Amino acid sequence: MSMTANPLTGIVLGHNPFFGVDHLSAARGSERAAYFSDPNRILSTIREARSAGAGGMMMSTHERAAPLADLIATDAALARDFRIYPLLPYAQKYVTRANEVGMVNVVLEALSGTTLSQKTAMFMKGGKAFVSKDINAVLAALMQIELKPFAKLNVPAIFLHDAFTDLALAFGMAEVFEFYLAEIEKSFGARGAFATKNLPTLLQRFSEWGLPAPLVMTHFNKAGYHMNPSRQACEQAAAGHDVSLLVMGSLASGFLKPDEAYAYLSSVANVDGVVVGVSSPAHIQETFGAIRQHMPGLNVRLAA
Amino acid sequence: MNEPVELRAAVVGLGKLGLLHAATLNVLSGSRLVAVADKTKTVLNGLAARAQDVETFTNHRKLLDRAQPDIVAIATPTGHHVPVALDCIERGIPVFVEKPLSLDSAQAKPLLDALEKQPVVNMVGYMTRFLHTFRKAKEVISTGVLGRPQMLRASMYIGQLFGRGKGWRYDKKASGGGVLTTQNSHVIDLLLWYFGDIDWVSAQATRLYSKQIEDHAHVFFQFDDGLRGYLDASWSARHFRTPTVAIHVQGENGTLDVDDDQVRLHAVDATGDFTSGWHSWTKPELYQGTEFDIGGTNYTDQTMQFLGAVRGENGVESDIASAFKVQQVIDAAYASAEQNGAPVSIGDFG
């Protein structure tokens, strides 16, 4: 795959509706989870969205991602052209499991969830990592396991979950970012990308550390929802740095109507992609229509 | 005006929340992480390798005496909170303690005595108070729009345990109890914050998967001011991906519903700024950004309130004294459950 073309791609489907995550209503999330428990329903929604202009899809390494990835791989056109952006690791899984069995056990469990030969190799890598104080080796082993389901798909960029990005940012660990970028490129032939809830700090640190202009997924919306320290500070950071932004949360969890949401987003600098959570054909038409109307430059920038 | 002082912070206990506090205290402009202590070396070594300015210890007393931090955050298993906090208070160091405060109210009593002798800024991590919806609910309730409170129902559910649990949370000697103390201490803290002191409780507790502690609890509360109601608590509730808190209260002039997503108020008669009828506030519209968000703005806002209190700029809402009351309610609930729900007075505990 080409490393020069912009890896972010206009309209990107969000995975949350498919996996029952709804940040405005847990009840609505459960309903959608029931509807989409049949992966074929997800696949047909993906086909519909693709024919309406979606270029790719976010995919957390949720336990249901693997069967879905297998299903997408059976469609040759989707497997070739439809871009999949894994988000790793699936944080909620770790947080819930950590409550139950403790953090160390979570890592050991993750390392043991593979075939015997892989398990031995990865356990050696991970076990040695503990002794040698090397977080990076643990991260590498986790990456191998979590990214396995996506091997047959078109994966231009792989996002690190904001919980991990922001933790590493807070500790000022430049090496974690350097390692992640290098490892993703070396082992997966893709671009390392970062989700964050703290865009201004991330961009400032990348610039201080001399790291290349990053691919960043972050919240941008007129309501300022999940934007830290403020909407204005995020707008200034986006305009003041070399960055390629994949915007999530543009509707502020359904608080904003598509029309006002994308009218606002068209004023934000360096936006190369918009993550959209779709659940029905009517929803696809309304949302995609508003994006095309207000952000006609989105795909132009991508084609360049 | 001078630049605000950068407080030198230490964290004792490096589990999930200890890491969160360590990161938050390191990144905020008002403080910087200088030392951490944990009994196991797994995370400690990882941090030592990548954060060169942070000293690591396996003993918290050595940390206090050698690193001499300005402030300490304690995020050990519950049973260690009190002894570590006592060591901080004795040395005059402002202390932040994760919730629940202690195994029970008797264990926490020496903290109250120590603070009387040596007052220091202290805070307990009841972070639900800093979630925007629950904060808004407090603001609405405080206006008195509901009139005299009449009845209450509250719940906190999460689907995390459907088999035997491993780790300190499921060991009664380390945790003090099950879902009631480990998670629903948050709800009890909110109820005390919203509605004042509780007179007596009646409770039932059920072991579904755990051998030593309850996985499910029902607690009936009688508040001092006449309000009555109950709490339903489970960490073995299907279909709850994340901890989900909901509180409904009815007063003589209206009802209020608050959960993680929104606040809804119905006022019978117009009161103050509220017109008669429905009012609602959703999470996105209540949202306020914070200096740096790691595990949620509520954690950052909580830490900033603590730092502000240490600098003498503001007070602390959830302190050791208020968290002690939470422990008394939990003690009474466990005592009641052992007597098949017989009413137990809060006054019996400390």
Side-chain angles (χ1 to χ4, degrees):
Chain A
M1 98 193 35
S2 162
M3 297 286 292
T4 50
N6 191 321
L8 301 184
T9 182
I11 297 174
V12 174
L13 299 186
H15 54 228
N16 280 347
F18 300 145
F19 297 139
V21 180
D22 189 319
H23 293 298
L24 199 60
S25 161
R28 195 169 64 188
S30 297
E31 276 169 34
R32 289 213 183 124
Y35 179 78
F36 283 119
S37 60
D38 176 359
N40 283 302
R41 287 189 174 144
I42 301 181
L43 194 62
S44 78
T45 304
I46 291 173
R47 288 198 178 111
E48 186 124 20
R50 183 168 176 259
S51 62
M57 179 180 172
M58 287 304 301
M59 192 124 65
S60 73
T61 49
H62 192 280
E63 58 267 22
R64 281 176 43 211
L68 181 58
D70 290 345
L71 206 57
I72 292 172
T74 62
D75 182 323
L78 279 184
R80 189 183 59 241
D81 300 330
F82 196 66
R83 295 167 162 201
I84 301 296
Y85 302 96
L87 172 66
L88 65 100
Y90 174 53
Q92 196 59 43
K93 176 175 70 181
Y94 290 102
V95 173
T96 308
R97 283 303 281 166
N99 282 334
E100 211 172 307
V101 300
M103 290 238 298
V104 176
N105 288 325
V106 167
V107 176
L108 294 176
E109 267 183 13
L111 290 170
S112 63
T114 48
T115 64
L116 188 63
S117 60
Q118 280 174 324
K119 188 156 109 182
T120 315
M122 286 173 186
F123 190 81
M124 291 304 289
K125 211 172 175 185
K128 195 173 142 218
F130 280 117
V131 179
S132 69
K133 305 183 185 180
D134 192 348
I135 297 175
N136 292 351
V138 177
L139 199 57
L142 283 173
M143 278 154 63
Q144 294 285 352
I145 296 164
E146 294 227 335
L147 292 171
K148 230 176 101 218
F150 308 107
K152 290 178 196 153
L153 304 177
N154 179 353
V155 176
I158 297 166
F159 284 88
L160 185 65
H161 196 286
D162 60 68
F164 292 80
T165 303
D166 291 334
L167 205 58
L169 264 186
F171 281 123
M173 295 172 169
E175 309 88 338
V176 171
F177 293 91
E178 286 163 5
F179 165 77
Y180 182 78
L181 287 166
E183 181 68 19
I184 292 287
E185 185 167 345
K186 187 182 73 166
S187 297
F188 306 97
R191 285 276 301 273
F194 304 93
T196 183
K197 288 195 171 128
N198 303 283
L199 180 71
T201 308
L202 182 136
L203 293 179
Q204 195 187 327
R205 293 284 180 277
F206 265 60
S207 153
E208 287 165 11
W209 293 336
L211 294 175
L215 304 180
V216 178
M217 178 166 69
T218 195
H219 288 78
F220 251 109
N221 57 72
K222 197 181 166 187
Y225 190 38
H226 286 311
M227 296 172 69
N228 297 296
S230 66
R231 191 185 92 178
Q232 193 190 19
C234 291
E235 288 164 355
Q236 285 169 356
H241 290 84
D242 190 5
V243 57
S244 179
L245 292 173
L246 177 59
V247 168
M248 64 185 289
S250 52
L251 299 175
S253 292
F255 178 64
L256 300 170
K257 293 276 166 268
D259 201 46
E260 63 177 327
Y262 298 113
Y264 163 74
L265 208 53
S266 68
S267 72
V268 177
N270 288 319
V271 176
D272 290 331
V274 180
V275 180
V276 178
V278 295
S279 50
S280 69
H283 192 183
I284 290 172
Q285 293 310 324
E286 185 190 13
T287 314
F288 288 23
I291 293 174
R292 282 216 191 79
Q293 184 197 335
H294 293 291
M295 306 180 73
L298 197 60
N299 287 305
V300 175
R301 189 178 148 106
L302 289 168
Chain B
M1 227 175 97
N2 294 327
E3 280 288 293
V5 189
E6 196 177 57
L7 295 163
R8 301 171 66 258
V11 174
V12 179
L14 278 184
K16 188 182 60 174
L17 277 174
L19 267 179
L20 178 59
H21 290 308
T24 305
L25 288 164
N26 194 55
V27 77
L28 291 183
S29 55
S31 60
R32 143 174 89 88
L33 184 71
V34 297
V36 292
D38 196 280
K39 285 201 166 124
T40 61
K41 293 199 171 180
T42 314
V43 180
L44 214 55
N45 285 342
L47 203 58
R50 309 238 153 248
Q52 280 83 5
D53 300 337
V54 179
E55 282 187 275
T56 58
F57 298 88
T58 50
N59 176 307
H60 75 272
R61 285 203 188 93
K62 278 187 188 152
L63 180 154
L64 297 179
D65 294 334
R66 291 192 195 159
Q68 302 204 334
D70 298 325
I71 53 174
V72 172
I74 303 169
T76 59
T78 305
H80 298 295
H81 289 174
V82 172
V84 179
L86 280 172
D87 286 331
C88 295
I89 295 167
E90 274 172 18
R91 288 164 175 78
I93 302 172
V95 65
F96 175 96
V97 189
E98 256 313 322
K99 50 55 63 177
L101 176 60
S102 53
L103 295 171
D104 53 31
S105 56
Q107 193 203 16
K109 190 72 174 50
L111 286 176
L112 300 180
D113 301 336
L115 283 170
E116 209 159 295
K117 276 187 232 143
Q118 170 72 272
V120 296
V121 171
N122 62 90
M123 187 168 190
V124 178
Y126 282 111
M127 56 75 185
T128 318
R129 294 192 187 202
F130 292 88
L131 289 170
H132 298 128
T133 53
F134 293 101
R135 215 165 173 76
K136 182 70 186 178
K138 167 68 178 173
E139 187 190 312
V140 173
I141 291 167
S142 297
T143 65
V145 62
L146 293 175
R148 192 180 165 77
Q150 295 171 329
M151 61 182 190
L152 167 77
R153 66 169 183 267
S155 59
M156 182 175 190
Y157 299 124
I158 178 167
Q160 77 176 36
L161 191 74
F162 298 100
R164 186 91 187 274
K166 291 176 212 146
W168 68 266
R169 284 182 181 78
Y170 305 95
D171 173 4
K172 194 174 179 187
K173 287 195 290 295
S175 64
V179 68
L180 190 61
T181 189
T182 296
Q183 288 176 342
N184 282 263
S185 48
H186 280 299
V187 182
I188 293 168
D189 173 68
L190 281 180
L191 297 179
L192 292 169
W193 192 42
Y194 288 169
F195 307 116
D197 289 348
I198 291 170
D199 184 8
W200 58 266
V201 302
S202 163
Q204 296 282 359
T206 312
R207 291 172 195 176
L208 299 172
Y209 302 100
S210 302
K211 287 265 190 290
Q212 304 178 11
I213 53 171
E214 81 289 353
D215 301 312
H216 196 113
H218 302 279
V219 187
F220 176 88
F221 304 104
Q222 170 72 59
F223 286 78
D224 282 357
D225 71 353
L227 175 65
R228 289 178 155 190
Y230 64 87
L231 165 66
D232 196 30
S234 178
W235 59 24
S236 305
R238 302 268 178 214
H239 314 303
F240 289 88
R241 194 181 60 97
T242 53
T244 304
V245 176
I247 297 171
H248 168 87
V249 60
Q250 178 179 306
E252 60 189 357
N253 189 50
T255 55
L256 180 131
D257 284 275
V258 56
D259 58 29
D260 305 270
D261 299 325
Q262 62 176 339
V263 185
R264 278 167 66 80
L265 166 73
H266 181 266
V268 177
D269 293 327
T271 310
D273 293 340
F274 300 111
T275 54
S276 165
W278 288 101
H279 303 262
S280 73
W281 300 267
T282 61
K283 201 157 106 178
E285 67 189 300
L286 292 172
Y287 185 83
Q288 284 187 310
T290 193
E291 187 179 329
F292 194 94
D293 176 358
I294 304 174
T297 56
N298 53 320
Y299 287 104
T300 311
D301 292 346
Q302 173 179 262
T303 300
M304 288 179 78
Q305 187 179 82
F306 177 61
L307 295 175
V310 174
R311 287 192 300 262
E313 295 165 3
N314 52 261
V316 158
E317 286 168 1
S318 163
D319 59 10
I320 285 175
S322 69
F324 181 77
K325 289 186 177 181
V326 176
Q327 296 307 136
Q328 289 177 303
V329 173
I330 292 166
D331 286 355
Y334 283 143
S336 171
E338 275 180 23
Q339 301 164 59
N340 196 27
V344 174
S345 169
I346 306 307
D348 293 353
F349 298 89

